[in-house]
Amino acid sequence: MINQLLFVSFLFLTNGVGLFEQYYPLADEIAKSMSLQQKIGQTLQVDITSFNDEQGNTHYEQISQHFLGSILVGGNGCPDGRGNIIASDNCFQATNANWRDVAQRSLKQKVVVNVPGHGETQINLLLGTDAVHGNQHSVGAVLFPHNIGLAASHNVENYIKAAYWTKQSILDCGFNFAFAPTVAVSHNPKWGRFYETQGADPKFVKEIGKAYIKELQDDDGKKIKGILGSTKHYFGDGATYNGYDEGNCRVENFDVFYNNNIQGYIGALEANTGTIMVSYSAINELPMSISDLINVDLKQQQKFDGFIISDYNAAIKVAYQGLPTTHAKMSIEDAYTKSFNAGMDMQMVDGAVGWYEEVMNNIIAQGRISTERLNDAVKRILAVKLAMNLIDVPETLAKKYNYTQEKKEEKVEKQEVSNEDNDAEYYDALRSAKESLVLLKNKQNLLPINKFKITNVILLGERLWSFKGEFKRVFQDFDNIGAQNGGWTIRWQGFNGNDYWSNDLKVSSKASSILDAIKSRFNSANIYYIQYSDPTNLQLINEQRSTFRNNIINTLDQFNRENTLIINTLAENPYAEFMGDIDCEYCKTQDKQGCIYNNWINQYLPDEQPTTLEINVGDYEKQIINIVRQKDVDIPVVTILFSGRPMIITNPLQVSSAFVAAWWPGTAGGEAVVQSLFGEYLFKSQGKLNTLPVPWMRNMQQISNYPIYGNEVPQIEDPLFEEGFGLETRPQNIQ
């Protein structure tokens, strides 16, 4: 691997001393003054919920007891309003104010180091949180489209705005470290994290990686004034064979693979990214968490001067998981040894701090991790903290290294957000959502529709949710803000429905479903949809469906092609990571070795992992469409697809007069869609706005046994729609 790397043509070399490297001498003196246990603690980032007792009380004192360098909010962690973080289905207390309380309690836990000749140095925490499409753990937040949607806008300004508002909201929560951006190149839509990727153009991925980190961290060459970014997941993330999450990249020509997948990291390095998070995946079955590329590529050749962090429990996965990443397994001691010696500086773990400390003490005592390697890891972590003003340096020590101390406690205090700021954030998210929409079909230039001629809007698009054979409820995707946001929303796997976007939370987020946006434009008497009295009662649902069907039949005389519009909404269930994987071979075997799909994690998904990305118009929806079109065969049907990736859409394309790929457009998605239908926003292709960032496959065969990196970048052959496809609409159609 190292020999291959020497031939790579695209190398990035920094000029002069880097943002963090300038603090190495001071950081090194502090590190060498620390005890072994303090050093080990600084190399650890722990899920904060692991400090909870059986009553759900969070014991923050464990942070300083273990000398921790960082804590993180796990995917399902939420404040309870009493100062604790709990892993719960109920996250209604996850307001910025309650997050700020958690941050204040955490930041009181400092690591105190006595530097000889200078006295006490106090080291503060890095507080990490996911930020896949905004400050997603905070209820009432404005959320932007997921990355694949932003990539469809091809507008770097949308990334800058997303980074800016994410930064502002996380600072308001008192946190200082965001796990973003993902800079993966898009490959196989079967991958459950496809929506986190940035499209198929590596030059564009490089551009947005640089722009996002620059805005998020907001450094002036000396200090980070914003929050720390974490560019992820190094590297080849998204290029795994057959799209398996935590899988293996099949690489025959390393130069081609490297040059196509490294560009986002190049851009982020140019913007002084403070951390890089390593992928779970492997290259030719060598897990990235123990790959020599970390040292040889990032630290030596690219001169990265921040610190490298693992993904959640990455070393444990290297030791015990095996497939789908690799056939090899090893002891936990070997995994941590290889990981640290490969260049990993900080390990992200779920808990069990004492166990981690024991493992580290053992392998250090055996000489398997040298003092120099441990000191280097700690030095890098401390250098980043110095750039963030997270270390209280004694005056004499600061003078010795000409270090300027700036206090940042005020960042934990509530920042007043004006109505103007709230409006600006919403309009930035709305613009991003509109520019991310892609018009795939527009028969006879149906769109834009003159809303002043429409007197009947029929809303369709429902899904019946069952879990373990038990019916739960019906979701109407034209009124499902959770489905517009997908995974990594409030909780790890996301939500269906509007529970977290109602009442005051709807006001603060300005969230809108398609139904909301239609209601703002039409009299309720002109909007036809089923208003279920009990969406959890299947018998009643069927009765009300029958009643609605009969009402449509009885009012057929009112419908014609000029005054009637059918909007049919299709949606994927929300998912994240491996729960969104499709058609993994290991999930089809009897022992399921290598299958990490587990429907208990995401109860919206079926017991068995799906084997296709095909999505169809539902039987009930077909009935209504056929009934209405009995009156006039040309009554238009506009289909809206909410998804994290391209789908197999043969059936809905045939049924539809117009078809919009809306991706997962965020909280403003409903308003964005409706504006585009009625010409309040026009689809464009100039500047690549509203165009596909990836090719759209015809069938599952085109993405089977794919990708393999040979002498050329792998491509989907003969796609249904090429990368860059997107239809325009013109204003004269609504006159």
Side-chain angles (χ1 to χ4, degrees):
M1 184 67 70
I2 295 177
N3 290 334
Q4 288 177 310
L5 189 61
L6 295 177
F7 294 101
V8 173
S9 60
F10 200 128
L11 298 178
F12 171 75
L13 299 176
T14 57
N15 295 318
V17 178
L19 173 63
F20 309 107
E21 187 181 4
Q22 65 188 307
Y23 299 114
Y24 277 7
L26 172 55
D28 192 48
E29 181 160 352
I30 297 171
K32 290 178 178 177
S33 302
M34 298 169 71
S35 69
L36 176 59
Q37 298 313 308
Q38 287 176 327
K39 294 176 184 178
I40 291 173
Q42 284 298 292
T43 65
L44 187 60
Q45 182 183 67
V46 179
D47 189 329
I48 193 171
T49 58
S50 67
F51 304 141
N52 289 356
D53 59 25
E54 293 181 356
Q55 289 72 43
N57 298 312
T58 304
H59 291 271
Y60 293 94
E61 68 276 5
Q62 292 189 33
I63 295 171
S64 55
Q65 288 173 2
H66 293 283
F67 313 110
L68 298 182
S70 182
I71 59 173
L72 78 144
V73 176
N76 296 325
C78 302
D80 65 358
R82 299 183 298 110
N84 306 302
I85 289 286
I86 57 174
S88 170
D89 290 342
N90 183 342
C91 288
F92 286 102
Q93 297 300 318
T95 62
N96 278 20
N98 286 334
W99 282 119
R100 197 159 49 246
D101 182 29
V102 168
Q104 289 170 334
R105 293 168 185 261
S106 300
L107 290 172
K108 289 179 181 178
Q109 304 298 319
K110 303 175 187 292
V111 175
V112 180
V113 178
N114 191 354
V115 180
H118 300 284
E120 288 188 353
T121 297
Q122 294 185 339
I123 304 172
N124 289 291
L125 273 175
L126 286 167
L127 304 178
T129 185
D130 291 301
V132 176
H133 65 133
N135 189 16
Q136 66 200 47
H137 285 305
S138 185
V139 294
V142 174
L143 296 178
F144 278 70
H146 275 287
N147 287 341
I148 194 64
L150 290 180
S153 78
H154 298 273
N155 186 350
V156 176
E157 184 66 20
N158 289 333
Y159 286 93
I160 293 171
K161 292 298 185 182
Y164 174 79
W165 292 114
T166 299
K167 171 182 65 180
Q168 295 301 109
S169 185
I170 289 176
L171 284 173
D172 188 44
C173 290
F175 280 62
N176 54 27
F177 186 9
F179 304 140
T182 297
V183 292
V185 177
S186 307
H187 290 84
N188 197 323
K190 291 197 294 183
W191 189 38
R193 305 186 80 152
F194 189 88
Y195 61 88
E196 297 183 51
T197 65
Q198 305 286 4
D201 181 0
K203 292 181 180 178
F204 180 70
V205 178
K206 177 183 177 182
E207 187 177 4
I208 64 95
K210 182 174 182 177
Y212 194 97
I213 284 292
K214 182 176 177 62
E215 181 59 53
L216 190 73
Q217 294 191 163
D218 189 21
D219 78 83
D220 60 4
K222 291 290 184 180
K223 296 293 181 71
I224 289 176
K225 296 179 288 183
I227 59 176
L228 183 65
S230 182
T231 307
K232 60 182 187 175
H233 301 87
Y234 180 82
F235 97 105
D237 210 23
T240 57
Y241 181 67
N242 272 325
Y244 298 163
D245 193 33
E246 306 181 22
N248 178 49
C249 300
R250 291 182 56 173
V251 178
E252 297 169 359
N253 187 318
F254 185 77
D255 287 3
V256 173
F257 175 77
Y258 182 89
N259 285 325
N260 196 59
N261 290 280
I262 201 64
Q263 301 303 324
Y265 302 93
I266 301 291
L269 285 164
E270 290 178 354
N272 296 318
T273 185
T275 69
I276 292 176
M277 187 183 296
V278 176
S279 175
Y280 285 132
S281 63
I283 298 176
N284 293 335
E285 293 213 16
L286 176 64
M288 285 305 306
S289 296
I290 57 173
S291 170
D292 53 15
L293 283 170
I294 299 172
N295 266 329
V296 176
D297 178 35
L298 288 179
K299 291 185 174 180
Q300 295 176 19
Q301 299 203 58
Q302 308 234 32
K303 307 298 183 186
F304 173 58
D305 58 342
F307 69 85
I308 306 290
I309 186 170
S310 80
D311 209 333
Y312 202 79
N313 285 340
I316 295 173
K317 288 177 178 287
V318 168
Y320 302 136
Q321 180 168 284
L323 295 173
T325 314
T326 174
H327 286 81
K329 295 183 181 181
M330 63 188 70
S331 70
I332 192 64
E333 291 82 3
D334 284 348
Y336 274 115
T337 298
K338 290 176 180 290
S339 180
F340 267 93
N341 288 335
M344 197 79 74
D345 301 307
M346 182 177 282
Q347 299 283 347
M348 183 193 300
V349 298
D350 59 355
V353 183
W355 174 82
Y356 172 85
E357 291 170 333
E358 181 180 352
V359 171
M360 286 297 294
N361 275 303
N362 287 341
I363 56 182
I364 290 170
Q366 295 166 16
R368 301 177 69 185
I369 296 176
S370 68
T371 300
E372 291 74 20
R373 169 77 269 267
L374 182 61
N375 283 347
D376 176 66
V378 176
K379 174 191 71 178
R380 288 172 171 271
I381 294 165
L382 296 184
V384 171
K385 290 186 176 185
L386 287 165
M388 297 176 69
N389 298 300
L390 290 178
I391 301 180
D392 301 324
V393 181
E395 184 175 352
T396 57
L397 188 59
K399 286 183 178 179
K400 178 179 177 180
Y401 292 99
N402 196 27
Y403 176 74
T404 302
Q405 184 80 55
E406 299 174 9
K407 299 294 183 182
K408 294 190 72 173
E409 287 83 358
E410 70 274 10
K411 294 296 186 183
V412 183
E413 300 301 322
K414 184 179 188 302
Q415 299 179 356
E416 293 298 330
V417 179
S418 68
N419 289 332
E420 290 182 0
D421 283 344
N422 192 250
D423 288 344
E425 181 178 14
Y426 165 72
Y427 285 114
D428 285 338
L430 176 61
R431 183 191 70 182
S432 297
K434 289 187 291 189
E435 293 181 355
S436 74
L437 306 174
V438 181
L439 182 60
L440 297 180
K441 182 178 182 180
N442 193 23
K443 184 179 179 181
Q444 296 179 342
N445 291 321
L446 171 67
L447 301 184
I449 294 167
N450 188 339
K451 66 186 173 191
F452 299 107
K453 292 183 179 180
I454 299 296
T455 56
N456 307 292
V457 180
I458 301 171
L459 297 177
L460 302 174
E462 300 183 351
R463 284 178 294 135
L464 300 177
W465 170 35
S466 296
F467 179 65
K468 293 291 185 182
E470 179 183 351
F471 175 75
K472 295 293 185 179
R473 64 162 293 165
V474 62
F475 290 110
Q476 297 175 297
D477 290 324
F478 54 82
D479 189 29
N480 188 344
I481 296 171
Q484 292 172 196
N485 282 279
W488 297 108
T489 301
I490 312 297
R491 291 186 304 166
W492 175 35
Q493 293 291 321
F495 287 94
N496 270 309
N498 297 325
D499 290 351
Y500 286 96
W501 299 276
S502 59
N503 303 318
D504 290 343
L505 297 179
K506 191 163 191 174
V507 173
S508 63
S509 65
K510 294 182 170 61
S512 60
S513 66
I514 290 175
L515 176 61
D516 292 326
I518 290 292
K519 281 183 173 180
S520 72
R521 290 163 174 81
F522 294 91
N523 185 293
S524 59
N526 303 116
I527 307 172
Y528 296 83
Y529 67 99
I530 305 175
Q531 300 182 54
Y532 290 112
S533 54
D534 183 358
T536 66
N537 185 323
L538 184 57
Q539 180 178 344
L540 192 56
I541 288 168
N542 288 328
E543 291 174 0
Q544 291 184 300
R545 281 184 166 187
S546 179
T547 300
F548 181 78
R549 184 167 50 244
N550 291 334
N551 288 341
I552 292 293
I553 293 172
N554 292 334
T555 54
L556 273 180
D557 289 343
Q558 299 178 20
F559 304 145
N560 62 56
R561 72 187 69 180
E562 300 297 329
N563 68 10
T564 301
L565 173 65
I566 300 173
I567 300 176
N568 182 48
T569 307
L570 299 172
E572 283 195 284
N573 277 301
Y575 55 82
E577 298 189 58
F578 50 85
M579 288 308 296
D581 278 7
I582 297 291
D583 197 32
C584 174
E585 63 179 311
Y586 304 121
C587 296
K588 300 175 184 178
T589 61
Q590 186 171 358
D591 62 10
K592 294 192 175 182
Q593 183 181 358
C595 177
I596 50 181
Y597 182 93
N598 179 351
N599 74 310
W600 286 104
I601 293 175
N602 184 330
Q603 297 187 11
Y604 300 124
L605 300 180
D607 293 356
E608 299 295 327
Q609 183 188 74
T611 58
T612 180
L613 285 167
E614 183 176 4
I615 191 165
N616 295 308
V617 178
D619 290 340
Y620 178 75
E621 288 76 12
K622 287 179 183 176
Q623 288 182 29
I624 301 300
I625 291 170
N626 289 336
I627 289 169
V628 174
R629 281 182 163 176
Q630 286 177 10
K631 176 65 169 53
D632 188 334
V633 71
D634 288 327
I635 288 176
V637 175
V638 178
T639 296
I640 311 299
L641 173 62
F642 291 130
S643 70
R645 51 195 164 190
M647 309 285 288
I648 307 300
I649 54 174
T650 307
N651 168 259
L653 269 181
Q654 292 174 344
V655 173
S656 305
S657 312
F659 191 103
V660 177
W663 314 105
W664 279 336
T667 46
E671 177 66 21
V673 166
V674 171
Q675 284 193 22
S676 74
L677 300 187
F678 296 119
E680 298 162 29
Y681 173 80
L682 296 173
F683 288 93
K684 307 173 181 69
S685 62
Q686 301 92 343
K688 295 188 177 181
L689 296 176
N690 305 114
T691 59
L692 292 178
V694 293
W696 193 292
M697 69 283 180
R698 295 178 181 274
N699 52 54
M700 293 298 293
Q701 287 71 34
Q702 290 181 312
I703 53 174
S704 296
N705 304 317
Y706 174 83
I708 299 175
Y709 267 87
N711 292 328
E712 296 181 355
V713 175
Q715 301 285 341
I716 294 174
E717 296 183 4
D718 188 29
L720 181 63
F721 301 107
E722 297 278 356
E723 176 189 350
F725 179 86
L727 300 175
E728 296 183 354
T729 51
R730 302 180 185 279
Q732 59 264 31
N733 290 341
I734 63 173
Q735 293 178 353

